[in-house]
Amino acid sequence: MSFESFVARRYLATSRKTAHVALITAISIGGLALGVMALVISLALLSGFQDRIRAQMAERTPHLTVSPERGSLLADTGVVERALRETPGVVEVSPVVEGRGWLAPAAGGSSTPVRYRNAAESLPARAGADPPIRVASPVAFRIGVAPGESVLLTGSRTRLSPIGPVPVSVRMQVAGTPRRGALERAPEVEVPEDVARLLAALPSGAQACEARLADPSQADRAARDLARRLPPGYRVETWRDRNAPLSFALRLEKLVLFLTIALVIFVAALNVVSNLALLVVEKKRDLGVFATMGAAPGSLGRIYLSLGGRIGAAGTAAGLVLGVAVALLADRFGLVPLPADVYLFSHVPFAVHPAEVALVGVFSLATALAASILPARAASRSAEREALELSR
């Protein structure tokens, strides 16, 4: 053990006998622990929500999307589908046929503009009944239809008739009214592919092709591999690219929260400054004795740096342990419930990321050490003056 560490340890041990020094030391450690705990819990809470949001983005957004760089149709849908199926990790490929139209109850009523597209999976249909259609719950509520009722879907395209051009309409039966999440980029209505092609006047080809991967985290690698094998004229996007604005907002939110809660640690560092400054005053005679015995001013300053490091380490360790424990328990037992009919989860999720915990610990310890620099310099200057007085 070095001379500086030994003296710092002795100072901390003997400070317990002095009430005011012990109180300020306890306040310094407690303030750091409180700030670190608040920062760890806040980051865990935000990470819990963000991890759920990213998981839903990966679940509800196509992992790979190939679209034309120019125009609205793929130049060769077959080439794109083959390239997607040959990409490692791809488990499902589907063409995209979509358009805009109007939806109204078949029995009569007001219509509403909707965006339709072909369903990725087959829709349940009854024999002899109208083609099935899946209508988002807000749209179904707006026009007043329920599952089993008939609707009229009219496309924006027209066809020639003896009386002139007329819009293409298809009578369909509502097969379901699913709720759409805020993160879903799903259309208002989903129809079978043959109906979508009829309404869009697109007997072949597609506007885009989508694919899902077994592991969404490999989307960037798969996109690079796919882009190398596709001819020019195609744009490849991953689910991260399609949600880039939201991802940026999530990162910015975490940064702002970190900087805001970190102010608590800065305030606690002021207590470290006051504690060490008080110790400099209390131990200035000791500093003079050390100086006369040959201790260098820099060595005496390092005593107080060591003191600040020990106080910072104690407060940081306590805050990390308490923060991680509270976050894990709150997530494990669902201590903060949420109304399930409003939110997508039954309780507030917490997620403890080791990298974030380590970042908080390093930041807190570095702040405590930085706060010790000023008292350490004051101690080195005070030691020289006390040594001169003792030598007279």
Side-chain angles (χ1 to χ4, degrees):
M1 182 182 296
S2 65
F3 164 72
E4 293 86 354
S5 298
F6 175 77
V7 175
R9 182 179 176 183
R10 293 290 299 172
Y11 278 0
L12 280 178
T14 57
S15 65
R16 301 174 186 173
K17 301 177 183 179
T18 309
H20 61 283
V21 177
L23 177 62
I24 295 179
T25 302
I27 292 174
S28 302
I29 295 175
L32 275 176
L34 181 63
V36 170
M37 182 179 69
L39 190 52
V40 168
I41 294 175
S42 300
L43 289 177
L45 185 149
L46 198 57
S47 296
F49 274 109
Q50 293 186 358
D51 287 351
R52 298 289 182 93
I53 290 173
R54 290 191 179 95
Q56 289 187 12
M57 284 195 297
E59 178 184 352
R60 305 185 184 213
T61 305
H63 301 153
L64 293 175
T65 303
V66 181
S67 58
E69 288 186 347
R70 294 182 180 180
S72 59
L73 295 177
L74 294 173
D76 192 333
T77 306
V79 170
V80 174
E81 288 187 353
R82 284 194 298 273
L84 281 171
R85 296 186 190 281
E86 292 171 359
T87 301
V90 172
V91 296
E92 180 184 344
V93 178
S94 59
V96 176
V97 180
E98 60 183 3
R100 294 193 174 275
W102 292 265
L103 187 69
S110 60
S111 62
T112 184
V114 294
R115 183 168 63 93
Y116 65 85
R117 67 158 289 173
N118 61 309
E121 72 282 353
S122 60
L123 298 176
R126 292 186 300 178
D130 294 327
I133 182 174
R134 186 181 292 131
V135 183
S137 56
V139 176
F141 176 78
R142 195 182 311 147
I143 64 175
V145 296
E149 298 183 3
S150 295
V151 294
L152 196 65
L153 179 60
T154 304
S156 58
R157 306 269 182 177
T158 59
R159 62 182 175 185
L160 290 176
S161 71
I163 60 174
V166 295
V168 179
S169 298
V170 180
R171 182 186 175 94
M172 311 188 74
Q173 188 177 58
V174 179
T177 56
R179 292 182 59 185
R180 299 297 188 195
L183 301 177
E184 287 189 84
R185 293 192 173 189
E188 285 87 356
V189 296
E190 292 179 294
V191 298
E193 184 174 338
D194 57 341
V195 174
R197 292 188 178 278
L198 174 64
L199 293 172
L202 189 66
S204 62
Q207 285 111 342
C209 279
E210 298 175 344
R212 299 192 67 83
L213 299 171
D215 184 5
S217 64
Q218 299 298 316
D220 293 331
R221 179 197 57 78
R224 290 192 297 268
D225 179 68
L226 179 62
R228 284 194 299 266
R229 291 186 290 107
L230 281 174
Y234 298 98
R235 179 172 56 249
V236 181
E237 294 179 299
T238 68
W239 64 274
R240 293 190 180 93
D241 297 330
R242 295 171 67 87
N243 294 282
L246 179 57
S247 298
F248 174 76
L250 294 178
R251 291 194 300 270
L252 182 61
E253 182 183 25
K254 183 171 289 188
L255 175 62
V256 171
L257 179 71
F258 183 94
L259 296 177
T260 303
I261 306 298
L263 292 176
V264 179
I265 297 179
F266 279 115
V267 173
L270 297 178
N271 290 326
V272 176
V273 174
S274 61
N275 181 34
L276 295 182
L278 182 60
L279 279 175
V280 169
V281 175
E282 290 280 333
K283 306 296 184 180
K284 64 179 181 178
R285 193 163 185 84
D286 293 357
L287 294 174
V289 173
F290 289 143
T292 57
M293 294 175 62
S299 177
L300 298 178
R302 286 193 292 273
I303 291 176
Y304 288 87
L305 285 176
S306 180
L307 276 170
R310 289 173 182 271
I311 293 174
T316 300
L320 291 178
V321 171
L322 291 174
V324 170
V326 170
L328 292 177
L329 290 175
D331 185 68
R332 173 66 178 82
F333 297 103
L335 299 182
V336 187
L338 290 174
D341 56 339
V342 177
Y343 296 93
L344 299 174
F345 354 94
S346 59
H347 65 276
V348 172
F350 290 83
V352 178
H353 293 171
E356 294 178 352
V357 174
L359 177 63
V360 173
V362 170
F363 175 77
S364 174
L365 194 56
T367 303
L369 288 173
S372 308
I373 293 176
L374 188 59
R377 289 182 176 178
S380 61
R381 290 193 298 266
S382 176
E384 295 176 353
R385 292 193 299 268
E386 288 297 321
L388 290 175
E389 291 181 4
L390 290 174
S391 63
R392 291 175 183 175

